[in-house]
PDB file of all heavy atoms in Angstrom:
ATOM      1  N   ARG A 175     -10.528   8.601  26.633  1.00 93.00           N
ATOM      2  CA  ARG A 175      -9.604   8.440  27.797  1.00 93.00           C
ATOM      3  C   ARG A 175     -10.256   9.014  29.096  1.00 93.00           C
ATOM      4  O   ARG A 175     -10.019   8.367  30.130  1.00 93.00           O
ATOM      5  CB  ARG A 175      -8.293   9.235  27.443  1.00 93.00           C
ATOM      6  CG  ARG A 175      -7.192   8.964  28.483  1.00 93.00           C
ATOM      7  CD  ARG A 175      -5.932   9.760  28.219  1.00 93.00           C
ATOM      8  NE  ARG A 175      -5.317   9.445  26.934  1.00 93.00           N
ATOM      9  CZ  ARG A 175      -4.020   9.433  26.682  1.00 93.00           C
ATOM     10  NH1 ARG A 175      -3.183   9.680  27.717  1.00 93.00           N
ATOM     11  NH2 ARG A 175      -3.617   9.206  25.504  1.00 93.00           N
ATOM     12  N   ASP A 176     -10.966  10.089  28.966  1.00 93.00           N
ATOM     13  CA  ASP A 176     -11.540  10.737  30.183  1.00 93.00           C
ATOM     14  C   ASP A 176     -12.590   9.767  30.811  1.00 93.00           C
ATOM     15  O   ASP A 176     -12.693   9.837  32.072  1.00 93.00           O
ATOM     16  CB  ASP A 176     -12.164  12.097  29.833  1.00 93.00           C
ATOM     17  CG  ASP A 176     -11.164  13.097  29.397  1.00 93.00           C
ATOM     18  OD1 ASP A 176      -9.947  12.994  29.838  1.00 93.00           O
ATOM     19  OD2 ASP A 176     -11.537  14.042  28.691  1.00 93.00           O
ATOM     20  N   ARG A 177     -13.347   9.065  29.988  1.00 94.00           N
ATOM     21  CA  ARG A 177     -14.372   8.128  30.577  1.00 94.00           C
ATOM     22  C   ARG A 177     -13.841   6.699  30.612  1.00 94.00           C
ATOM     23  O   ARG A 177     -14.609   5.855  31.012  1.00 94.00           O
ATOM     24  CB  ARG A 177     -15.535   8.223  29.649  1.00 94.00           C
ATOM     25  CG  ARG A 177     -16.295   9.520  29.562  1.00 94.00           C
ATOM     26  CD  ARG A 177     -17.288   9.666  28.450  1.00 94.00           C
ATOM     27  NE  ARG A 177     -18.330   8.651  28.678  1.00 94.00           N
ATOM     28  CZ  ARG A 177     -19.155   8.282  27.674  1.00 94.00           C
ATOM     29  NH1 ARG A 177     -18.982   8.804  26.422  1.00 94.00           N
ATOM     30  NH2 ARG A 177     -20.079   7.429  27.851  1.00 94.00           N
ATOM     31  N   ASN A 178     -12.560   6.504  30.311  1.00 93.00           N
ATOM     32  CA  ASN A 178     -11.929   5.216  30.417  1.00 93.00           C
ATOM     33  C   ASN A 178     -12.695   4.192  29.587  1.00 93.00           C
ATOM     34  O   ASN A 178     -12.999   3.078  29.984  1.00 93.00           O
ATOM     35  CB  ASN A 178     -11.828   4.678  31.794  1.00 93.00           C
ATOM     36  CG  ASN A 178     -10.886   3.596  32.066  1.00 93.00           C
ATOM     37  OD1 ASN A 178      -9.820   3.522  31.335  1.00 93.00           O
ATOM     38  ND2 ASN A 178     -11.127   2.701  32.933  1.00 93.00           N
ATOM     39  N   LYS A 179     -13.046   4.588  28.366  1.00 96.00           N
ATOM     40  CA  LYS A 179     -13.943   3.804  27.483  1.00 96.00           C
ATOM     41  C   LYS A 179     -13.292   3.423  26.198  1.00 96.00           C
ATOM     42  O   LYS A 179     -12.762   4.223  25.441  1.00 96.00           O
ATOM     43  CB  LYS A 179     -15.196   4.628  27.253  1.00 96.00           C
ATOM     44  CG  LYS A 179     -16.280   3.813  26.399  1.00 96.00           C
ATOM     45  CD  LYS A 179     -17.477   4.747  26.209  1.00 96.00           C
ATOM     46  CE  LYS A 179     -18.637   3.957  25.554  1.00 96.00           C
ATOM     47  NZ  LYS A 179     -19.809   4.849  25.330  1.00 96.00           N
ATOM     48  N   LEU A 180     -13.235   2.083  25.889  1.00 97.00           N
ATOM     49  CA  LEU A 180     -12.681   1.587  24.736  1.00 97.00           C
ATOM     50  C   LEU A 180     -13.726   0.615  24.040  1.00 97.00           C
ATOM     51  O   LEU A 180     -14.082  -0.405  24.652  1.00 97.00           O
ATOM     52  CB  LEU A 180     -11.420   0.789  25.065  1.00 97.00           C
ATOM     53  CG  LEU A 180     -10.171   1.571  25.473  1.00 97.00           C
ATOM     54  CD1 LEU A 180      -9.086   0.572  25.891  1.00 97.00           C
ATOM     55  CD2 LEU A 180      -9.673   2.347  24.264  1.00 97.00           C
ATOM     56  N   VAL A 181     -14.169   0.979  22.874  1.00 97.00           N
ATOM     57  CA  VAL A 181     -15.144   0.123  22.113  1.00 97.00           C
ATOM     58  C   VAL A 181     -14.420  -0.250  20.839  1.00 97.00           C
ATOM     59  O   VAL A 181     -13.937   0.625  20.179  1.00 97.00           O
ATOM     60  CB  VAL A 181     -16.504   0.917  21.890  1.00 97.00           C
ATOM     61  CG1 VAL A 181     -17.470  -0.055  21.161  1.00 97.00           C
ATOM     62  CG2 VAL A 181     -17.027   1.452  23.178  1.00 97.00           C
ATOM     63  N   LEU A 182     -14.479  -1.570  20.485  1.00 97.00           N
ATOM     64  CA  LEU A 182     -13.755  -2.030  19.347  1.00 97.00           C
ATOM     65  C   LEU A 182     -14.625  -2.856  18.422  1.00 97.00           C
ATOM     66  O   LEU A 182     -15.814  -3.223  18.786  1.00 97.00           O
ATOM     67  CB  LEU A 182     -12.527  -2.876  19.760  1.00 97.00           C
ATOM     68  CG  LEU A 182     -11.549  -2.202  20.698  1.00 97.00           C
ATOM     69  CD1 LEU A 182     -11.873  -2.664  22.152  1.00 97.00           C
ATOM     70  CD2 LEU A 182     -10.137  -2.612  20.334  1.00 97.00           C
ATOM     71  N   SER A 183     -14.123  -3.162  17.256  1.00 95.00           N
ATOM     72  CA  SER A 183     -14.848  -3.984  16.267  1.00 95.00           C
ATOM     73  C   SER A 183     -13.997  -5.117  15.699  1.00 95.00           C
ATOM     74  O   SER A 183     -12.894  -4.807  15.130  1.00 95.00           O
ATOM     75  CB  SER A 183     -15.344  -3.116  15.112  1.00 95.00           C
ATOM     76  OG  SER A 183     -15.906  -3.928  14.118  1.00 95.00           O
ATOM     77  N   ASN A 184     -14.402  -6.299  15.882  1.00 94.00           N
ATOM     78  CA  ASN A 184     -13.748  -7.509  15.321  1.00 94.00           C
ATOM     79  C   ASN A 184     -14.122  -7.647  13.909  1.00 94.00           C
ATOM     80  O   ASN A 184     -13.363  -7.968  13.004  1.00 94.00           O
ATOM     81  CB  ASN A 184     -14.076  -8.654  16.178  1.00 94.00           C
ATOM     82  CG  ASN A 184     -13.687 -10.046  15.581  1.00 94.00           C
ATOM     83  OD1 ASN A 184     -14.574 -10.890  15.429  1.00 94.00           O
ATOM     84  ND2 ASN A 184     -12.450 -10.180  15.116  1.00 94.00           N
ATOM     85  N   ARG A 185     -15.378  -7.258  13.628  1.00 88.00           N
ATOM     86  CA  ARG A 185     -15.914  -7.360  12.223  1.00 88.00           C
ATOM     87  C   ARG A 185     -15.169  -6.527  11.236  1.00 88.00           C
ATOM     88  O   ARG A 185     -14.829  -6.921  10.133  1.00 88.00           O
ATOM     89  CB  ARG A 185     -17.415  -7.183  12.236  1.00 88.00           C
ATOM     90  CG  ARG A 185     -18.061  -7.345  10.839  1.00 88.00           C
ATOM     91  CD  ARG A 185     -19.632  -7.223  11.023  1.00 88.00           C
ATOM     92  NE  ARG A 185     -20.059  -6.056  11.707  1.00 88.00           N
ATOM     93  CZ  ARG A 185     -20.141  -4.868  11.051  1.00 88.00           C
ATOM     94  NH1 ARG A 185     -19.871  -4.806   9.783  1.00 88.00           N
ATOM     95  NH2 ARG A 185     -20.637  -3.830  11.703  1.00 88.00           N
ATOM     96  N   LEU A 186     -15.023  -5.251  11.636  1.00 87.00           N
ATOM     97  CA  LEU A 186     -14.363  -4.327  10.771  1.00 87.00           C
ATOM     98  C   LEU A 186     -12.920  -4.648  10.507  1.00 87.00           C
ATOM     99  O   LEU A 186     -12.428  -4.436   9.408  1.00 87.00           O
ATOM    100  CB  LEU A 186     -14.472  -2.877  11.261  1.00 87.00           C
ATOM    101  CG  LEU A 186     -15.921  -2.268  11.345  1.00 87.00           C
ATOM    102  CD1 LEU A 186     -15.869  -0.895  11.882  1.00 87.00           C
ATOM    103  CD2 LEU A 186     -16.522  -2.313   9.938  1.00 87.00           C
ATOM    104  N   ALA A 187     -12.210  -5.163  11.570  1.00 89.00           N
ATOM    105  CA  ALA A 187     -10.807  -5.600  11.381  1.00 89.00           C
ATOM    106  C   ALA A 187     -10.748  -6.830  10.441  1.00 89.00           C
ATOM    107  O   ALA A 187      -9.818  -6.801   9.558  1.00 89.00           O
ATOM    108  CB  ALA A 187     -10.244  -5.915  12.693  1.00 89.00           C
ATOM    109  N   ALA A 188     -11.662  -7.716  10.534  1.00 85.00           N
ATOM    110  CA  ALA A 188     -11.715  -8.849   9.619  1.00 85.00           C
ATOM    111  C   ALA A 188     -12.048  -8.416   8.214  1.00 85.00           C
ATOM    112  O   ALA A 188     -11.325  -8.900   7.199  1.00 85.00           O
ATOM    113  CB  ALA A 188     -12.742  -9.876  10.071  1.00 85.00           C
ATOM    114  N   ARG A 189     -12.900  -7.428   8.077  1.00 82.00           N
ATOM    115  CA  ARG A 189     -13.183  -6.923   6.680  1.00 82.00           C
ATOM    116  C   ARG A 189     -12.032  -6.200   6.112  1.00 82.00           C
ATOM    117  O   ARG A 189     -11.681  -6.383   4.891  1.00 82.00           O
ATOM    118  CB  ARG A 189     -14.423  -5.949   6.798  1.00 82.00           C
ATOM    119  CG  ARG A 189     -14.954  -5.500   5.458  1.00 82.00           C
ATOM    120  CD  ARG A 189     -16.187  -4.650   5.561  1.00 82.00           C
ATOM    121  NE  ARG A 189     -15.773  -3.336   5.993  1.00 82.00           N
ATOM    122  CZ  ARG A 189     -16.632  -2.371   6.275  1.00 82.00           C
ATOM    123  NH1 ARG A 189     -18.012  -2.654   6.255  1.00 82.00           N
ATOM    124  NH2 ARG A 189     -16.262  -1.165   6.679  1.00 82.00           N
ATOM    125  N   SER A 190     -11.316  -5.436   6.941  1.00 83.00           N
ATOM    126  CA  SER A 190     -10.111  -4.722   6.438  1.00 83.00           C
ATOM    127  C   SER A 190      -9.052  -5.712   5.987  1.00 83.00           C
ATOM    128  O   SER A 190      -8.401  -5.512   4.973  1.00 83.00           O
ATOM    129  CB  SER A 190      -9.556  -3.783   7.615  1.00 83.00           C
ATOM    130  OG  SER A 190      -8.469  -3.119   7.127  1.00 83.00           O
ATOM    131  N   ALA A 191      -8.925  -6.781   6.752  1.00 82.00           N
ATOM    132  CA  ALA A 191      -7.897  -7.855   6.410  1.00 82.00           C
ATOM    133  C   ALA A 191      -8.285  -8.469   5.137  1.00 82.00           C
ATOM    134  O   ALA A 191      -7.414  -8.809   4.226  1.00 82.00           O
ATOM    135  CB  ALA A 191      -7.763  -8.863   7.538  1.00 82.00           C
ATOM    136  N   SER A 192      -9.604  -8.741   4.962  1.00 79.00           N
ATOM    137  CA  SER A 192     -10.089  -9.319   3.650  1.00 79.00           C
ATOM    138  C   SER A 192      -9.816  -8.373   2.464  1.00 79.00           C
ATOM    139  O   SER A 192      -9.414  -8.818   1.422  1.00 79.00           O
ATOM    140  CB  SER A 192     -11.566  -9.647   3.779  1.00 79.00           C
ATOM    141  OG  SER A 192     -11.845 -10.597   4.741  1.00 79.00           O
ATOM    142  N   PHE A 193     -10.100  -7.100   2.675  1.00 83.00           N
ATOM    143  CA  PHE A 193      -9.951  -6.190   1.579  1.00 83.00           C
ATOM    144  C   PHE A 193      -8.461  -6.049   1.222  1.00 83.00           C
ATOM    145  O   PHE A 193      -8.241  -5.892  -0.066  1.00 83.00           O
ATOM    146  CB  PHE A 193     -10.436  -4.750   2.007  1.00 83.00           C
ATOM    147  CG  PHE A 193     -11.830  -4.407   1.717  1.00 83.00           C
ATOM    148  CD1 PHE A 193     -12.890  -4.909   2.380  1.00 83.00           C
ATOM    149  CD2 PHE A 193     -12.156  -3.669   0.534  1.00 83.00           C
ATOM    150  CE1 PHE A 193     -14.181  -4.635   2.108  1.00 83.00           C
ATOM    151  CE2 PHE A 193     -13.467  -3.447   0.162  1.00 83.00           C
ATOM    152  CZ  PHE A 193     -14.482  -3.892   0.959  1.00 83.00           C
ATOM    153  N   SER A 194      -7.549  -6.206   2.085  1.00 80.00           N
ATOM    154  CA  SER A 194      -6.168  -6.194   1.800  1.00 80.00           C
ATOM    155  C   SER A 194      -5.709  -7.314   0.831  1.00 80.00           C
ATOM    156  O   SER A 194      -4.667  -7.196   0.182  1.00 80.00           O
ATOM    157  CB  SER A 194      -5.266  -6.117   3.033  1.00 80.00           C
ATOM    158  OG  SER A 194      -5.329  -7.425   3.681  1.00 80.00           O
ATOM    159  N   GLN A 195      -6.457  -8.322   0.793  1.00 84.00           N
ATOM    160  CA  GLN A 195      -6.184  -9.494  -0.046  1.00 84.00           C
ATOM    161  C   GLN A 195      -6.843  -9.432  -1.403  1.00 84.00           C
ATOM    162  O   GLN A 195      -6.699 -10.327  -2.228  1.00 84.00           O
ATOM    163  CB  GLN A 195      -6.576 -10.795   0.682  1.00 84.00           C
ATOM    164  CG  GLN A 195      -5.971 -11.014   1.994  1.00 84.00           C
ATOM    165  CD  GLN A 195      -4.474 -11.089   2.076  1.00 84.00           C
ATOM    166  OE1 GLN A 195      -3.912 -11.751   1.155  1.00 84.00           O
ATOM    167  NE2 GLN A 195      -3.811 -10.330   2.950  1.00 84.00           N
ATOM    168  N   LEU A 196      -7.699  -8.378  -1.589  1.00 90.00           N
ATOM    169  CA  LEU A 196      -8.543  -8.358  -2.879  1.00 90.00           C
ATOM    170  C   LEU A 196      -8.058  -7.230  -3.738  1.00 90.00           C
ATOM    171  O   LEU A 196      -7.328  -6.220  -3.313  1.00 90.00           O
ATOM    172  CB  LEU A 196      -9.996  -8.058  -2.484  1.00 90.00           C
ATOM    173  CG  LEU A 196     -10.636  -9.032  -1.567  1.00 90.00           C
ATOM    174  CD1 LEU A 196     -12.065  -8.600  -1.194  1.00 90.00           C
ATOM    175  CD2 LEU A 196     -10.668 -10.479  -2.161  1.00 90.00           C
ATOM    176  N   GLU A 197      -8.315  -7.318  -5.085  1.00 91.00           N
ATOM    177  CA  GLU A 197      -8.019  -6.337  -6.002  1.00 91.00           C
ATOM    178  C   GLU A 197      -9.077  -6.313  -7.177  1.00 91.00           C
ATOM    179  O   GLU A 197      -9.670  -7.312  -7.445  1.00 91.00           O
ATOM    180  CB  GLU A 197      -6.580  -6.467  -6.500  1.00 91.00           C
ATOM    181  CG  GLU A 197      -6.324  -7.799  -7.276  1.00 91.00           C
ATOM    182  CD  GLU A 197      -4.875  -7.960  -7.758  1.00 91.00           C
ATOM    183  OE1 GLU A 197      -4.109  -7.142  -7.323  1.00 91.00           O
ATOM    184  OE2 GLU A 197      -4.721  -8.827  -8.620  1.00 91.00           O
ATOM    185  N   VAL A 198      -9.203  -5.155  -7.734  1.00 92.00           N
ATOM    186  CA  VAL A 198     -10.059  -5.069  -8.943  1.00 92.00           C
ATOM    187  C   VAL A 198      -9.504  -5.909 -10.046  1.00 92.00           C
ATOM    188  O   VAL A 198      -8.355  -5.912 -10.318  1.00 92.00           O
ATOM    189  CB  VAL A 198     -10.231  -3.611  -9.310  1.00 92.00           C
ATOM    190  CG1 VAL A 198     -10.950  -3.453 -10.621  1.00 92.00           C
ATOM    191  CG2 VAL A 198     -10.948  -2.772  -8.273  1.00 92.00           C
ATOM    192  N   GLY A 199     -10.415  -6.706 -10.670  1.00 93.00           N
ATOM    193  CA  GLY A 199      -9.969  -7.592 -11.756  1.00 93.00           C
ATOM    194  C   GLY A 199      -9.742  -8.988 -11.320  1.00 93.00           C
ATOM    195  O   GLY A 199      -9.428  -9.852 -12.125  1.00 93.00           O
ATOM    196  N   GLN A 200      -9.891  -9.195 -10.041  1.00 93.00           N
ATOM    197  CA  GLN A 200      -9.664 -10.560  -9.476  1.00 93.00           C
ATOM    198  C   GLN A 200     -10.866 -11.360  -9.623  1.00 93.00           C
ATOM    199  O   GLN A 200     -12.022 -10.994  -9.513  1.00 93.00           O
ATOM    200  CB  GLN A 200      -9.338 -10.375  -7.951  1.00 93.00           C
ATOM    201  CG  GLN A 200      -9.134 -11.683  -7.194  1.00 93.00           C
ATOM    202  CD  GLN A 200      -8.823 -11.503  -5.761  1.00 93.00           C
ATOM    203  OE1 GLN A 200      -8.427 -10.420  -5.346  1.00 93.00           O
ATOM    204  NE2 GLN A 200      -8.984 -12.526  -4.907  1.00 93.00           N
ATOM    205  N   LEU A 201     -10.661 -12.672 -10.025  1.00 95.00           N
ATOM    206  CA  LEU A 201     -11.780 -13.653 -10.218  1.00 95.00           C
ATOM    207  C   LEU A 201     -12.022 -14.351  -8.981  1.00 95.00           C
ATOM    208  O   LEU A 201     -11.089 -14.828  -8.294  1.00 95.00           O
ATOM    209  CB  LEU A 201     -11.458 -14.575 -11.338  1.00 95.00           C
ATOM    210  CG  LEU A 201     -12.600 -15.598 -11.691  1.00 95.00           C
ATOM    211  CD1 LEU A 201     -13.705 -14.857 -12.486  1.00 95.00           C
ATOM    212  CD2 LEU A 201     -11.994 -16.703 -12.592  1.00 95.00           C
ATOM    213  N   ILE A 202     -13.225 -14.346  -8.464  1.00 94.00           N
ATOM    214  CA  ILE A 202     -13.581 -15.054  -7.194  1.00 94.00           C
ATOM    215  C   ILE A 202     -14.609 -16.168  -7.494  1.00 94.00           C
ATOM    216  O   ILE A 202     -15.373 -16.163  -8.494  1.00 94.00           O
ATOM    217  CB  ILE A 202     -14.060 -14.041  -6.141  1.00 94.00           C
ATOM    218  CG1 ILE A 202     -15.445 -13.412  -6.526  1.00 94.00           C
ATOM    219  CG2 ILE A 202     -13.119 -13.018  -5.889  1.00 94.00           C
ATOM    220  CD1 ILE A 202     -16.696 -14.121  -6.030  1.00 94.00           C
ATOM    221  N   GLU A 203     -14.620 -17.107  -6.529  1.00 96.00           N
ATOM    222  CA  GLU A 203     -15.673 -18.126  -6.606  1.00 96.00           C
ATOM    223  C   GLU A 203     -16.410 -18.134  -5.232  1.00 96.00           C
ATOM    224  O   GLU A 203     -15.704 -18.127  -4.194  1.00 96.00           O
ATOM    225  CB  GLU A 203     -15.070 -19.546  -6.839  1.00 96.00           C
ATOM    226  CG  GLU A 203     -16.151 -20.612  -6.948  1.00 96.00           C
ATOM    227  CD  GLU A 203     -15.516 -21.993  -7.285  1.00 96.00           C
ATOM    228  OE1 GLU A 203     -14.830 -22.571  -6.432  1.00 96.00           O
ATOM    229  OE2 GLU A 203     -15.744 -22.486  -8.436  1.00 96.00           O
TER     230      GLU A 203
END
Side-chain angles (χ1 to χ4, degrees):
R175 190 183 298 216
D176 293 335
R177 296 167 61 197
N178 199 33
K179 186 177 183 181
L180 290 171
V181 184
L182 305 98
S183 173
N184 168 231
R185 180 171 56 82
L186 292 181
R189 188 176 76 186
S190 180
S192 296
F193 266 82
S194 68
Q195 305 297 317
L196 303 176
E197 61 182 15
V198 172
Q200 179 179 341
L201 186 71
I202 64 95
E203 183 176 70

